[in-house]
Amino acid sequence: MTNAPVVFVVDDDQSVRSSLKFLLSTVGLHVESFDSADAFLRKNLPDSPSCLVLDVRLPGLSGLDFQRELGARKINIPIVFLTGHGDIPMSVRAMKAGAVEFLTKPFRDQDLLDAVRIALERDRTRREHEKEVLILQQRFDSLTSREREVISLVVSGMLNKQIADQLGTAESTVKVQRSRALEKMHAESLVDMVRMIEKLNGPSGRLR
């Protein structure tokens, strides 16, 4: 990813927002702050690695409700929760929903910086994976229907002769279709192709 990472801070306390922005800026991070969940939701998010430093208690949507709302909107952004009134059930709920960390105020500056670093790396990894899956999907979409059929059977472990018998075609034809499919997918080997199909069938893939 070429775009610089961004940390979004959502807290209704101006002094907290300012101190967090200063702290994060000392390690070279770009920070944007908001006083409510609604203000953040009006923001057009940049196409760059990002994370959310989020206070649990907010006007309007609470931090935990906001986390759920982001999930409903398919906004995949790692969250580091901050709270001055945390309890174990609250932290368990947040972590089960995918939060990176749940820090209770006052927290050590280094703990927050470490959590933000982990969150940004998690988002960077997700973005790189989704970009790779998109490229693989575009390549797969370029295959003919018969090439897709042949590759699906190859990946399932069938031999060329078995595929030819099942499809009612010549083994030489299957070999040609298999070769063309590997070329279009930019697969260097059958093992490489299997890996690609597994990615397309994974949580971020759209292979049907």
Side-chain angles (χ1 to χ4, degrees), residues 1 3-8 30-32 34 40 42-51 75-77 120 123 126-127:
M1 305 299 297
N3 293 341
V6 183
V7 180
F8 299 107
H30 175 66
V31 182
E32 295 185 26
F34 306 85
F40 175 83
R42 292 194 294 271
K43 165 76 177 179
N44 290 323
L45 300 182
D47 184 18
S48 60
S50 57
C51 73
I75 299 176
N76 297 312
I77 181 169
L120 290 174
D123 198 49
R126 176 189 64 82
R127 288 172 175 274

Side-chain angles (χ1 to χ4, degrees), residues 185-198:
M185 291 294 294
H186 298 192
E188 297 180 359
S189 64
L190 178 57
V191 172
D192 199 20
M193 174 64 81
V194 170
R195 179 187 63 83
M196 291 177 176
I197 297 301
E198 286 178 347

Side-chain angles (χ1 to χ4, degrees), residues 4 25 47 52 110 112 135 149:
S25 67
D47 184 18
L52 190 59
Q110 192 58 51
L112 176 63
I135 292 172
E149 197 171 9

Side-chain angles (χ1 to χ4, degrees), residues 3-128:
N3 293 341
V6 183
V7 180
F8 299 107
V9 173
V10 181
D11 195 301
D12 62 335
D13 188 323
Q14 174 63 49
S15 63
V16 172
R17 294 199 302 273
S18 296
S19 62
L20 289 174
K21 187 169 185 176
F22 174 76
L23 172 63
L24 294 165
S25 67
T26 62
V27 292
L29 291 171
H30 175 66
V31 182
E32 295 185 26
S33 60
F34 306 85
D35 60 5
S36 69
D38 289 337
F40 175 83
L41 290 173
R42 292 194 294 271
K43 165 76 177 179
N44 290 323
L45 300 182
D47 184 18
S48 60
S50 57
C51 73
L52 190 59
V53 177
L54 179 62
D55 191 19
V56 170
R57 294 180 181 269
L58 292 169
L61 279 178
S62 71
L64 293 177
D65 288 339
F66 183 35
Q67 181 186 33
R68 186 169 56 248
E69 177 66 18
L70 290 172
R73 296 188 182 207
K74 308 296 184 186
I75 299 176
N76 297 312
I77 181 169
I79 299 175
V80 176
F81 275 107
L82 305 179
T83 180
H85 310 278
D87 56 30
I88 292 177
M90 187 182 294
S91 62
V92 169
R93 176 182 165 190
M95 299 300 283
K96 280 188 174 181
V100 173
E101 186 58 274
F102 195 95
L103 299 175
T104 302
K105 301 172 184 177
F107 49 81
R108 293 194 315 125
D109 289 352
Q110 192 58 51
D111 288 341
L112 176 63
L113 294 176
D114 288 345
V116 166
R117 177 184 55 79
I118 292 170
L120 290 174
E121 184 58 33
R122 180 184 293 185
D123 198 49
R124 184 179 292 108
T125 299
R126 176 189 64 82
R127 288 172 175 274
E128 289 174 350

